[in-house]
Amino acid sequence: MTTTETASVRTAELAVHLVGGRVAPASGTRRLHREDPSGSGTVTTLVPATGEEVTAAVDTAWAARTAWRRTAPAERAAALRAAAAAVRADAERLGELLTGATGRLLGQSVESATVAADLLEEAATTGLGAAGRTLAGATSALDVVRREPRGVVAVITPWNDPFPAAAGLLAAALVTGNTVVHKPSERSALPGWEMARLVAGALPAGVLNVVNGDGETGAALVADERVALVAHVGSTAAGRRIAAVAGARGAKVLLENGGADAIVVDSGVDPRWAAEQIATGAFTNTGQICTSVERVYVHDDVADAVVAALVEVADGLVVGDPAEPATTLGPLVDADQLAVVDAHVRAAVNAGARAVTGGAPLDRPGSFYPPTVLDGCPPGADAVTEETFGPVAAIVRVPDFDTALSLAGQSRYGLAATVLTPDLGRALRAAEELEVGTVKVNGVFGGAPGGSADPRRDSGTGAGYGPDLLTEMTVLKTVHLEAPVA
């Protein structure tokens, strides 16, 4: 990586890959340019890996797989602990890189790096658990079911929360004995590269390889016949393409893709508390989290009070430079995402919704959009049915809890949902009836470590983080052993 600076523009170039423990200069001719979303004028140039460079990375991972799978599980766990320590020690710098690339608030960016270190440490512990089971067979024989690594795993991660997404998948693949080729998102290439380099530095050469690039680079990686599993966190469209290519050759696919998460606000809740929950879900990281709240179904009995309180919370947010401590809402990741958010809001207003606060891009450098509350959204508006991925709370007023629960379940996405209710019976009904990976009751974010969930429908397939992800990274083998005949 090289960096230059003039009086008005700071530029950085990422033109390297990591193969076999060595930083290799990129040989491609394509260039991707990205500007700091805060409008500072900083430009990052990425040189994507060529097909030949992707093949070289897979070659290396393939060659390293036998030695790594034979490495004692305790040694693999120790390597992950060392990686966690390296990431934790460099969390401040990693956070600064993430803020510069995506506009995430600096404090949140640093915390995100710390969470990544936590995930690496967690896998080092859970990875030492049961690796199979003994069967009840003949007393003269031994029958066991073994869990074995799949081989080479491709890990393709997103830009919006790249540190935990990468750390969770890399740790699960590595601790179970797989080797990895990792492609961070081109939208957060620098922070993704730097964290992956730290993790790779704690491992034997060739166990973790990193190729930088875009969708074309990822497509070459997914198509390689030696990649046994592809783990992807990102858009639904990209996930579908990956599933089609990898599935056609029999590879395992783990997908955590788009979401349009609902929150149901029942009668009897405290309006101010409900508004704060909605705001946390809709506006954190400028609404750019897979499990951000995008659809808000509010009972008519409390709708006026909830909307008024939500507007008050939204208007109290400080939009600005994400590196400044006073800022509570940063920019969107780029102009493309700004255009998507603006289009969804305009379409909702044209269909009858009312923007009671926000509702248009801010007139300032960078990709800034204000916290927006859309009241009276038609249930079929794009802001309700599609993934907006911006600081927009789309309010749909409903006459009763049953209607809210029914509408919350009517989505092609199935990542997560939240229910705010004082009624235990309704909470239990929601947990049973909502067909999503995660149901949260009276708390929009949070949860104990070690949880696992399967996304539904267009939100993906396969276990998310937690112990069950380790299982996904392995294959079963039954061994029947008898003593030789004398």
Side-chain angles (χ1 to χ4, degrees):
M1 185 188 78
T2 58
T3 302
T4 60
E5 190 166 355
T6 67
S8 58
V9 178
R10 183 175 184 271
T11 64
E13 183 177 67
L14 184 59
V16 289
H17 312 294
L18 184 68
V19 179
R22 299 177 61 186
V23 176
S27 62
T29 57
R30 291 194 300 129
R31 298 289 187 275
L32 303 178
H33 305 287
R34 295 196 56 78
E35 296 183 7
D36 178 352
S38 300
S40 69
T42 300
V43 177
T44 299
T45 299
L46 172 67
V47 181
T50 64
E52 291 77 13
E53 288 168 331
V54 171
T55 297
V58 178
D59 287 344
T60 304
W62 180 262
R65 78 192 193 287
T66 300
W68 183 240
R69 72 178 289 166
R70 291 176 177 170
T71 299
E75 291 182 37
R76 298 199 296 255
L80 286 186
R81 291 192 187 93
V87 171
R88 196 180 303 281
D90 217 9
E92 293 287 340
R93 185 180 67 92
L94 291 173
E96 291 171 358
L97 290 172
L98 182 58
T99 293
T102 69
R104 186 163 194 167
L105 298 184
L106 180 57
Q108 292 181 8
S109 294
V110 174
E111 182 182 6
S112 179
T114 301
V115 170
D118 292 342
L119 290 171
L120 290 163
E121 288 179 343
E122 180 183 319
T125 300
T126 56
L128 294 177
R133 63 185 187 273
T134 302
L135 305 178
T139 57
S140 60
L142 178 66
D143 291 271
V144 297
V145 177
R146 295 161 49 105
R147 285 205 168 273
E148 299 182 347
R150 291 181 178 271
V152 178
V153 172
V155 173
I156 302 174
T157 50
W159 56 267
N160 59 312
D161 203 7
F163 298 149
L169 293 172
L170 292 175
L174 293 166
V175 79
T176 49
N178 300 282
T179 54
V180 177
V181 179
H182 174 38
K183 190 200 83 67
S185 170
E186 66 273 23
R187 279 174 151 174
S188 57
L190 282 178
W193 158 257
E194 290 293 343
M195 194 195 81
R197 237 174 22 99
L198 291 172
V199 176
L203 300 165
V207 171
L208 172 58
N209 307 275
V210 186
V211 289
N212 293 302
D214 55 3
E216 186 174 318
T217 305
L221 177 57
V222 170
D224 195 297
E225 294 283 345
R226 296 165 296 174
V227 172
L229 183 149
V230 180
H232 170 256
V233 180
S235 72
T236 294
R240 284 177 171 173
R241 292 192 295 270
I242 288 169
V245 173
R249 58 180 180 78
K252 175 78 172 179
V253 178
L254 300 179
L255 303 174
E256 184 184 296
N257 296 153
D261 286 4
I263 187 167
V264 171
V265 182
D266 196 8
S267 61
V269 302
D270 176 77
R272 178 71 188 191
W273 169 74
E276 290 170 349
Q277 290 288 312
I278 296 166
T280 297
F283 303 144
T284 297
N285 197 26
T286 321
Q288 298 171 122
I289 302 176
C290 296
T291 53
S292 290
V293 166
E294 304 222 3
R295 304 178 284 143
V296 184
Y297 300 102
V298 185
H299 197 293
D300 281 334
D301 289 353
V302 294
D304 286 343
V306 168
V307 170
L310 181 58
V311 169
E312 184 179 341
V313 173
D315 289 347
L317 296 176
V318 178
V319 181
D321 183 346
E324 291 294 328
T327 299
T328 52
L329 194 82
L332 292 162
V333 66
D334 56 25
D336 290 341
Q337 190 58 39
L338 179 67
V340 170
V341 174
D342 189 38
H344 282 193
V345 171
R346 288 178 182 274
V349 171
N350 290 338
R354 185 167 63 97
V356 289
T357 190
L362 296 177
D363 185 16
R364 58 184 296 176
S367 49
F368 287 92
Y369 200 91
T372 296
V373 178
L374 297 175
D375 193 13
C377 278
D382 284 350
V384 177
T385 63
E386 302 301 322
E387 187 176 40
T388 300
F389 229 55
V392 179
I395 309 290
V396 179
R397 298 185 178 224
V398 294
D400 50 53
F401 183 80
D402 288 348
T403 302
L405 198 60
S406 175
L407 289 173
Q410 294 176 22
S411 173
R412 65 189 182 94
Y413 297 105
L415 200 54
T418 303
V419 177
L420 307 181
T421 179
D423 188 301
L424 178 59
R426 289 175 177 175
L428 293 173
R429 272 187 56 205
E432 171 66 25
E433 295 179 15
L434 288 170
E435 296 183 356
V436 297
T438 302
V439 177
K440 297 164 283 186
V441 178
N442 294 333
V444 70
F445 288 147
S452 296
D454 285 324
R456 316 292 174 88
R457 302 180 294 284
D458 282 4
S459 289
T461 183
Y465 304 115
D468 294 291
L469 178 57
L470 302 182
T471 300
E472 298 273 24
M473 295 289 180
T474 61
V475 288
L476 296 174
K477 177 190 287 183
T478 296
V479 177
H480 173 74
L481 176 64
E482 295 185 15
V485 177

